[in-house]
């Protein structure tokens, strides 16, 4: 109501608050419908009782003298009754049609001339949502199947035609009236959420999955048309759609990476489009992390993992690196990691041959790498990233010992290449939590 208050403040010069009332019979209509009629169409203030339920009273801010209060009240009550009658007519007509007929009617609503009807979009959302559920719920979920199929049906309704801001909300009511489970009705109602980072997400898993599927279809559709954001221009809200997907994955801590997410739409786009989307969504996530206060070089330590690990996990890794940086032992660990990184940066991948590890120092390093690698898998599996980093730090003395006593660039080419291969494997192990070498660039 704060927005309405600001708007009304600039509409009136001599504000006078007038308490009005409408017949209780209209309270049988959906609250959101009544509030929208009062707020958006008449600039009236709705009133809720102590149980947070809509009351029959409302407030009008008039621009006239106090002695005209009676006339203002009489006029406002007459107008709001007529408005509510219109809303009631649309609502009852929609109920008579039912959700099935409304869904059928979406075949006549063009979503985009190159993308087909709104019904076609619903079918795509349904397919994507069912695939996403296999990653998150590890099974085919009938509630997701139903909710995703009917989530756009209310776009063909009379109420949404008259009050577009109620899309989704009215679909939830119609789903409930049709006898669908509450979980389905809530999912349909909330699937447009979130609008971006900081906004609330759908309250149940079904709604979250449909929200992701809807936004992902939006992204894929317009990327396939070549309608990608440029500079500050983003007429189709693609950045907002990507932000919404990431917000759900972050808040719900769903075990779904960006790459896995895009695997659900491989039938809808080419590999080139998938690569473009992977880069686009990854950059949106990096942008979010930077706006959240993470240093750009710190973000670079996890850039290689952003496409292949769940977003919430990426943030946990950043927190772990930030925490470890406070340790007295961190500087020595960082320098050891950096030495490894510097030596191998100009080499293509080389296969390691353990039989060519001739010096005691490289043999010891190889042995400890195997031991650490075995143990650290459990830490990573349990998202214990700070513990994992501290465990990797155990390799610092043996790494330093290796560099102090072994000449990597040996005259023997086979030994030289094998030592580079050893350091390449070591580097991959050291990057298993984050690529610490990217700090302080």
């Amino acid at each position: 109501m704060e927005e309405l208050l600001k708007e009304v403040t600039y509409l009136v010069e001599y504000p006078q608050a007038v308490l009005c009332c409408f017949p209780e019979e209209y309270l049988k209509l959906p609250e959101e419908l009544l509030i929208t009629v009062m707020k958006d169409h008449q600039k009236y203030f709705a009133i809720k009782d102590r149980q947070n339920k809509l009351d029959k009273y409302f407030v009008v801010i008039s621009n006239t003298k106090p002695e005209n209060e009676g006339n203002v009240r009489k006029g406002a009550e007459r107008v709001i009754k007529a408005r509510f009658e219109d809303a009631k007519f649309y609502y009852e007509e929609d109920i008579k049609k039912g959700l099935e007929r409304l869904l059928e009617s979406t075949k006549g609503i063009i979503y985009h001339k190159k993308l087909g009807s709104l019904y076609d979009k619903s079918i795509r959302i349904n397919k994507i949502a069912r695939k996403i559920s296999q990653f998150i719920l590890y099974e085919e979920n009938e509630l997701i199947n139903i909710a995703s199929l009917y989530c756009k049906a209310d776009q063909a309704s009379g109420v949404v035609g008259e009050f577009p801001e109620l899309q989704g909300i009215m679909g939830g009511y119609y789903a409930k009236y049709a006898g669908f489970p509450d979980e389905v009705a809530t999912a349909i109602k909330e699937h447009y959420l979130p609008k971006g980072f900081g906004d609330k997400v759908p309250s149940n898993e079904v709604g979250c999955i449909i929200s992701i599927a809807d936004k992902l279809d939006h992204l894929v559709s317009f990327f396939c048309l070549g309608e990608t954001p440029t500079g500050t221009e983003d007429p189709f809200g693609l950045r907002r759609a990507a932000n919404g997907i990431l917000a759900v994955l972050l808040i719900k801590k769903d075990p779904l990476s960006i790459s896995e997410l895009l695997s659900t739409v491989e039938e809808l786009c080419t590999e080139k489009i998938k690569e473009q989307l992977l880069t686009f969504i990854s950059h949106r996530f990096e942008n979010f992390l930077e706006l959240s206060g993470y240093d750009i070089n710190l973000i670079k330590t996890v850039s290689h993992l952003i496409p292949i690990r769940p977003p919430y996990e990426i943030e946990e890794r950043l927190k772990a690196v930030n925490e470890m940086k406070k340790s007295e032992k961190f500087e020595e660990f960082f320098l050891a990691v950096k030495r490894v990184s510097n030596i191998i940066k100009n080499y293509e991948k080389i296969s390691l041959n353990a039989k060519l590890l001739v010096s005691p120092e490289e043999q010891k390093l190889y042995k400890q790498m195997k031991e650490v690698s075995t143990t650290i898998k459990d830490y990573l599996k349990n998202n214990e990233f700070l513990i994992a980093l501290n465990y990797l730090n155990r390799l610092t003395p043996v790494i330093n010992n290796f560099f102090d006593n072994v000449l990597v660039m040996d005259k023997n080419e086979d030994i030289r290449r094998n030592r580079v291969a050893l350091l390449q494997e070591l580097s991959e192990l050291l990057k298993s939590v984050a690529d610490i070498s990217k700090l302080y660039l």
Side-chain angles (χ1 to χ4, degrees):
M1 287 296 174
E2 288 184 13
E3 292 180 5
L4 178 60
L5 182 60
K6 288 180 181 179
E7 186 177 357
V8 171
T9 298
Y10 291 105
L11 287 176
V12 294
E13 190 173 356
Y14 302 103
Q16 295 291 332
V18 179
L19 182 64
C20 306
C21 182
F22 59 80
E24 284 191 39
E25 63 183 89
Y26 293 115
L27 290 174
K28 295 177 183 178
L29 296 173
E31 261 191 22
E32 296 90 344
L33 176 56
L34 298 176
I35 292 172
T36 298
V37 172
M38 286 188 277
K39 174 178 174 286
D40 294 351
H41 291 252
Q42 297 304 128
K43 313 304 176 188
Y44 297 166
F45 290 86
I47 295 177
K48 290 191 174 184
D49 61 23
R50 292 182 179 180
Q51 284 72 46
N52 201 36
K53 290 185 178 181
L54 188 66
D55 210 333
K56 63 181 180 178
Y57 297 100
F58 63 98
V59 173
V60 177
I61 305 298
S62 71
N63 192 32
T64 185
K65 297 178 181 179
E67 52 263 35
N68 292 326
E69 180 178 313
N71 288 332
V72 170
R73 181 181 295 110
K74 184 177 179 181
E77 289 178 351
R78 184 179 67 252
V79 168
I80 206 64
K81 183 179 179 181
R83 285 287 191 177
F84 283 171
E85 276 298 317
D86 289 342
K88 180 182 177 184
F89 170 79
Y90 288 123
Y91 179 68
E92 290 178 346
E93 286 298 304
D94 292 339
I95 292 296
K96 288 178 185 176
K97 290 179 182 177
L99 210 56
E100 194 68 46
R101 280 180 62 191
L102 290 176
L103 176 62
E104 186 69 19
S105 296
T106 61
K107 291 180 178 179
I109 301 175
I110 300 300
Y111 170 59
H112 187 283
K113 61 181 180 180
K114 294 182 179 179
L115 299 170
S117 68
L118 201 58
Y119 181 84
D120 296 325
K121 179 176 175 64
S122 299
I123 297 300
R124 293 196 302 270
I125 292 172
N126 177 262
K127 289 180 179 179
I128 296 170
R130 286 160 57 192
K131 290 180 180 178
I132 291 174
S133 72
Q134 293 175 6
F135 283 101
I136 295 177
L137 303 177
Y138 308 109
E139 61 181 8
E140 188 81 23
N141 189 298
E142 185 57 26
L143 296 182
I144 289 172
N145 184 41
I146 297 170
S148 58
L149 187 61
Y150 290 94
C151 68
K152 302 297 181 185
D154 67 350
Q155 295 268 6
S157 69
V159 170
V160 173
E162 186 71 15
F163 309 103
E165 58 269 50
L166 293 177
Q167 60 183 358
I169 293 172
M170 296 313 301
Y173 280 105
Y174 299 149
K176 198 168 184 178
Y177 194 88
F180 289 145
D182 287 345
E183 195 172 355
V184 169
T186 300
I188 292 175
K189 177 182 178 181
E190 299 177 343
H191 82 278
Y192 287 100
L193 300 174
K195 302 293 174 61
F197 295 114
D199 194 12
K200 63 180 182 178
V201 303
S203 57
N204 64 39
E205 199 68 74
V206 176
C208 286
I209 289 173
I210 298 170
S211 170
I212 294 172
D214 181 22
K215 293 169 177 58
L216 183 55
D217 174 71
H218 187 68
L219 282 170
V220 173
S221 296
F222 286 97
F223 263 72
C224 286
L225 295 179
E227 300 284 0
T228 56
T230 55
T232 57
E233 297 295 319
D234 186 14
F236 298 105
L238 302 184
R239 293 189 182 101
R240 185 171 63 245
N243 291 348
I245 290 171
L246 291 166
V248 174
L249 295 178
L250 277 167
I251 293 172
K252 299 299 290 185
K253 295 189 174 183
D254 287 323
L256 183 65
S257 70
I258 298 172
S259 292
E260 289 170 332
L261 179 68
L262 292 174
S263 72
T264 66
V265 295
E266 55 192 3
E267 295 178 6
L268 301 176
C269 62
T270 63
E271 283 299 317
K272 183 179 179 181
I273 296 295
K274 276 179 61 179
E275 285 298 319
Q276 291 175 358
L277 283 165
L278 185 66
T279 301
F280 178 74
I281 299 174
S282 296
H283 284 170
R284 296 312 305 159
F285 187 38
E286 290 179 358
N287 181 255
F288 161 74
L289 293 171
E290 191 173 357
L291 291 174
S292 298
Y294 292 103
D295 179 77
I296 186 65
N297 285 331
L298 183 65
I299 296 170
K300 287 179 180 178
T301 67
V302 295
S303 292
H304 65 295
L305 296 169
I306 285 177
I308 59 174
R309 301 304 308 169
Y312 83 92
E313 183 189 295
I314 297 295
E315 194 166 20
E316 292 298 317
R317 289 169 185 261
L318 287 176
K319 291 176 182 177
V321 177
N322 247 348
E323 189 63 30
M324 192 188 185
K325 283 173 63 181
K326 302 173 186 177
S327 168
E328 295 178 358
K329 298 179 180 180
F330 178 76
E331 192 65 27
E332 187 180 7
F333 177 54
F334 168 74
L335 291 174
V337 172
K338 195 69 174 176
R339 290 179 80 179
V340 174
S341 175
N342 285 341
I343 287 182
I344 67 172
K345 62 183 179 182
N346 295 322
Y347 283 89
E348 297 292 331
K349 178 64 179 173
I350 303 172
S351 298
L352 176 65
N353 183 351
K355 293 179 181 179
L356 291 178
L357 299 174
V358 294
S359 72
E361 291 81 8
E362 60 186 334
Q363 290 172 352
K364 184 177 181 181
L365 175 58
Y366 180 69
K367 181 182 178 183
Q368 270 199 250
M369 283 168 54
K370 292 299 180 184
E371 292 173 358
V372 169
S373 178
T374 300
T375 304
I376 206 170
K377 287 177 182 177
D378 289 331
Y379 294 139
L380 296 176
K381 185 178 180 181
N382 296 321
N383 291 350
E384 297 174 313
F385 300 118
L386 183 57
I387 296 174
L389 280 172
N390 287 322
Y391 198 78
L392 285 171
N393 193 22
R394 290 187 176 195
L395 291 170
T396 300
V398 72
I399 293 172
N400 289 337
N401 184 53
F402 171 83
F403 282 120
D404 291 343
N405 296 283
V406 175
L407 179 64
V408 177
M409 299 304 157
D410 194 272
K411 293 180 180 179
N412 184 306
E413 184 179 356
D414 290 338
I415 292 177
R416 180 174 70 248
R417 287 177 58 81
N418 202 59
R419 285 174 179 169
V420 171
L422 175 66
L423 294 179
Q424 286 178 337
E425 286 203 7
L426 173 60
S427 178
E428 289 304 310
L429 176 59
L430 293 171
K431 290 193 296 185
S432 55
V433 175
D435 187 357
I436 304 297
S437 70
K438 293 292 196 302
L439 288 171
Y440 315 123
L441 293 177

